[in-house]
């Protein structure tokens, strides 16, 4: 099991996958098989939803939720938004506007609050980036909101 490994795309470009979970060998092979079917640019550009991994172990799901909880612990939605600890992509903002009819700050803060309270990992997706995207939700959410999230590290104003 490893947190990082190399994939090669159809166009010969390579990428180091480095994430918060420890990948099982079968997951590494699955991601490598996805990469070889796409060019890096095509996977990033045309697969907004990403390609679902066939599974995540319970330990991996726990790792994801624990990491999310450590990041948001003791912080308000407003603080998380102002400090850019949680940011929304343009794609997410567009979807939010289509679903809710608004992308006002109060709506964004309410969604961040939902992320804080998420307690279930639905799936992981490979989108051609160095980290996977995870879909989180709150088990008892009557609205069934799902949130795609990924974890990045900021060092000297650079995302890693």
């Amino acid at each position: 099991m490893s947190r990082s490994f190399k994939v090669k795309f159809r166009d010969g470009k390579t990428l180091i996958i480095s994430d918060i979970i420890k990948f099982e060998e079968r997951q590494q092979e699955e991601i490598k098989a996805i990469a070889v079917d796409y060019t890096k640019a095509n996977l990033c550009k045309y697969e907004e939803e990403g390609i679902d991994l066939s599974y995540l172990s319970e330990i991996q799901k726990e790792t994801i939720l624990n990491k999310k909880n450590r990041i948001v612990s003791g912080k308000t939605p407003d603080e998380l938004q102002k400090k850019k600890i949680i940011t929304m992509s343009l794609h997410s903002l567009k979807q939010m506007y289509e679903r809710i009819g608004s992308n006002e700050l109060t709506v964004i803060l309410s969604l961040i609050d939902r992320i804080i309270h998420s307690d279930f990992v639905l799936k992981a997706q490979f989108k051609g980036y160095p980290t996977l995207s995870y879909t989180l939700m709150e088990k008892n959410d009557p609205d069934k909101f799902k949130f795609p999230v990924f974890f990045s590290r900021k060092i000297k104003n650079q995302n890693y």
Side-chain angles (χ1 to χ4, degrees):
M1 292 186 29
S2 173
R3 290 189 196 278
S4 63
F5 60 97
K6 186 190 293 189
V7 298
K8 188 173 187 176
F9 292 90
R10 189 176 70 209
D11 57 4
K13 293 188 178 180
T14 60
L15 175 70
I16 302 292
I17 305 293
S18 182
D19 209 297
I20 63 169
I21 64 170
K22 289 182 180 177
F23 293 97
E24 295 177 3
E25 186 68 30
R26 191 171 114 200
Q27 290 168 319
Q28 291 180 38
E29 294 306 316
E30 184 176 3
I31 292 168
K32 288 176 183 179
I34 293 168
V36 81
D37 285 344
Y38 292 88
T39 66
K40 184 175 183 317
N42 281 347
L43 187 56
C44 292
K45 184 175 182 181
Y46 299 113
E47 295 294 334
E48 286 183 344
E49 297 299 316
I51 307 294
D52 292 356
L53 267 59
S54 60
Y55 75 99
L56 285 170
S57 71
E58 291 307 313
I59 291 171
Q60 290 169 326
K61 290 177 181 181
E62 188 177 314
T63 298
I64 294 160
L65 290 174
N66 287 342
K67 182 69 163 180
K68 186 265 310 174
N69 289 336
R70 281 193 303 273
I71 290 168
V72 302
S73 179
K75 297 174 184 77
T76 66
D78 189 53
E79 182 180 0
L80 291 166
Q81 190 268 336
K82 283 182 180 173
K83 291 184 176 183
K84 296 185 179 183
I85 295 170
I86 294 181
T87 60
M88 304 269 180
S89 69
L90 289 176
H91 178 69
S92 294
L93 290 171
K94 179 183 170 210
Q95 284 186 318
M96 178 175 44
Y97 188 77
E98 288 172 1
R99 180 170 180 180
I100 301 173
S102 174
N103 60 358
E104 294 180 11
L105 181 58
T106 55
V107 174
I108 291 170
L109 295 178
S110 73
L111 293 175
I112 291 173
D113 190 55
R114 287 177 183 261
I115 292 170
I116 291 170
H117 292 95
S118 62
D119 58 0
F120 185 72
V121 180
L122 289 171
K123 62 183 177 178
Q125 301 92 25
F126 177 51
K127 298 181 178 187
Y129 297 106
T131 61
L132 298 183
S133 174
Y134 301 102
T135 302
L136 307 180
M137 67 178 290
E138 189 174 358
K139 286 180 192 168
N140 297 320
D141 180 5
D143 297 321
K144 303 287 187 222
F145 271 88
K146 298 175 186 172
F147 298 97
V149 300
F150 72 94
F151 298 91
S152 67
R153 180 178 285 159
K154 212 169 203 162
I155 302 172
K156 296 182 183 179
N157 293 326
Q158 236 5 66
N159 282 331
Y160 293 97

